[in-house]
């Protein structure tokens, strides 16, 4: 009976995610070939079509949908296809006895055309052999010969239920080699162990992809740091006016320098973050191997930590360095802009003082003009009154009337009236101006 509750739309997807990283059970003896190809985050469509081409070659119908992984039998081979963030991995396994652990890897049974048309670029290719517990032990020379005469590293894993050997080198067939000796593993344990070791190899390679960009970034950052110090020194010399450099020139140089640093960060930040994430996965998988030392051999953890940890430290150092330089460039830019603003304020203050002096001069001129206007208005006003008084005198009033005398008496009154009128008009204009603002 189906329960009537309402399910979250992601419930089934979240349960599927728990089983997204499956493994192939490996009965001893077995061999497998593992190939990891970097195709980018947007290359999943090409890789799925490439998988379909292989299925068609073996006469297997296409699945309705391919999620994060796909497990299928290809006759005598078994394929586990997995999609990761930046790469896709193919693991081909074959159970049964073998004469030599690494002669004719399992992948040689695949179509040559299909291998040649694999999307992306192969970053890891591992040939792994699982030997049964009753296989005779190898002498040190025999073990070394299995790995082309190279130095071998190895350890007991899974609490002593197996032994793992490798040289972590690429051999003439293009594959790295891993040898597992069963000492009491079940097929499921062997499958999980093989998967962890393969993931260590793949994620180790992906983690090291950040090393070369880190070296290139350090070279660019060294040049940027030298130029930043030079700009800082030139800014400090600005106190010596004989060597004064225009702030606009310094600001343009700082802006270009900050843009270059940001460009380096944009190219490398994702790679550095990915390297740190892959490094964390490698360390986690090594811890899950539960290794024990084999006398005379360096363990997998010791070998990888001695070489992988400094590389990741270089990536971290480059990331911190470019962040620090970006912050220093930003601080210098802010300081220079502050200095430019101070200079602008000084110029503005000088301009305001000059405008204030001009305003005072204009005020004095205006007051002079106002005085002249009062005189002119008074002159014309007195003249008009004089004409009036002369007309009255000529008309012959019943009492004696001296037009000249009364015109002289009216002159101060006319001038005072004109002055008061102009002041009142000026006050009204100022009041209107302030109310408008």
């Amino acid at each position: 009976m189906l329960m009537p509750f309402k399910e979250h739309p992601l419930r089934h997807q979240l349960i599927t995610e728990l089983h997204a990283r499956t493994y192939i059970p490996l009965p001893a003896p077995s061999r497998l070939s593992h190939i990891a190809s970097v195709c980018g985050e947007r290359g999943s469509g090409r890789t799925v079509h490439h998988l379909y081409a292989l299925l068609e070659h073996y006469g297997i119908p296409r699945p309705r949908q391919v999620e994060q992984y796909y497990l299928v039998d290809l006759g005598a081979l078994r394929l586990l296809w997995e999609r990761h963030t930046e790469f896709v991995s193919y693991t081909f396994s074959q159970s049964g006895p073998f004469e030599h652990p690494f002669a004719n890897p399992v992948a040689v049974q695949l179509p040559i055309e299909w291998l040649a048309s694999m999307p992306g670029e192969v970053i890891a290719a591992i040939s792994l052999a699982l030997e049964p517990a009753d296989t005779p032990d190898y002498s040190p020379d025999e073990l070394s010969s299995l790995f082309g005469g190279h130095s071998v590293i190895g350890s007991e894993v899974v609490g002593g239920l197996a032994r793992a050997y490798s040289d972590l080198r690429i051999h003439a067939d293009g594959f790295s080699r891993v040898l597992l000796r069963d000492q009491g593993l079940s097929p499921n344990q062997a499958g999980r162990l093989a998967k962890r070791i393969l993931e260590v190899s793949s994620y180790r390679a992906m983690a090291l992809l950040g090393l070369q960009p880190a070296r290139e970034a350090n070279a660019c950052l060294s040049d940027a740091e030298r130029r930043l110090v030079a700009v800082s020194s030139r800014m400090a010399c600005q106190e010596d006016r004989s060597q004064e450099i225009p702030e606009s020139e310094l600001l343009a140089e700082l802006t270009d320098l900050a843009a270059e640093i940001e460009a380096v960060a944009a190219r490398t930040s994702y790679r550095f973050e990915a390297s740190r994430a892959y490094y964390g996965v490698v360390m986690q998988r090594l811890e899950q191997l539960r290794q024990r030392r084999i006398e005379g051999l360096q363990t997998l953890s010791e070998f990888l930590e001695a070489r992988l940890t400094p590389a990741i430290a270089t990536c971290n150092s480059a990331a911190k360095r470019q962040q620090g330089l970006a912050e220093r460039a930003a601080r210098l830019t802010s300081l220079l802009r502050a200095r430019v603003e101070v200079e602008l304020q000084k110029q503005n203050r000088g301009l305001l003082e000059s405008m204030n002096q001009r305003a005072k001069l204009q005020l004095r001129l205006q007051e002079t003009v106002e005085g002249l206007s009062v005189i002119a208005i008074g002159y014309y006003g007195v003249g008009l009154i004089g004409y009036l008084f002369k007309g009255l005198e000529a008309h012959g009033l019943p009492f004696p009337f001296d037009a000249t005398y009364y015109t002289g008496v009216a002159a101060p009154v006319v001038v005072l009236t004109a002055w008061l009128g102009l002041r009142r008009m000026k006050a009204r204009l100022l009041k209107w101006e302030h109310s408008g603002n």
Side-chain angles (χ1 to χ4, degrees), residues 38-47 83-88 270-271 274 278:
V38 179
C39 54
E41 296 186 37
R42 299 182 179 180
S44 59
R46 294 182 298 144
T47 57
R83 178 165 53 200
H84 305 261
T85 303
E86 292 186 271
F87 66 97
V88 172
Y270 175 80
R271 189 72 269 153
Y278 291 131

Side-chain angles (χ1 to χ4, degrees), residues 330-400:
R331 287 197 299 268
L332 284 177
T333 303
S334 298
L335 177 61
L336 186 57
R337 285 177 177 171
R339 290 176 57 173
V340 171
E341 290 178 359
V342 170
E343 290 298 324
L344 288 176
Q345 289 178 0
K346 289 182 180 179
Q347 295 177 6
N348 291 338
R349 184 174 62 184
L351 181 61
L352 290 175
E353 290 178 354
S354 175
M355 292 176 63
N356 190 26
Q357 293 294 333
R358 292 181 181 179
K360 290 181 179 179
L361 179 60
Q362 289 179 356
L363 180 61
R364 292 177 181 176
L365 291 174
Q366 183 179 357
E367 290 176 350
T368 302
V369 171
E370 288 179 0
L372 293 175
S373 299
V374 169
I375 293 173
I377 294 173
Y379 173 79
Y380 286 110
V382 170
L384 291 175
I385 291 176
Y387 286 124
L388 175 63
F389 287 165
K390 286 180 180 180
L392 293 176
E393 182 182 13
H395 189 270
L397 295 176
F399 56 87

Side-chain angles (χ1 to χ4, degrees), residues 150-164:
H150 299 135
S151 298
V152 179
I153 61 175
S155 59
E156 289 189 344
V157 292
V158 198
L161 293 180
R163 288 191 172 196

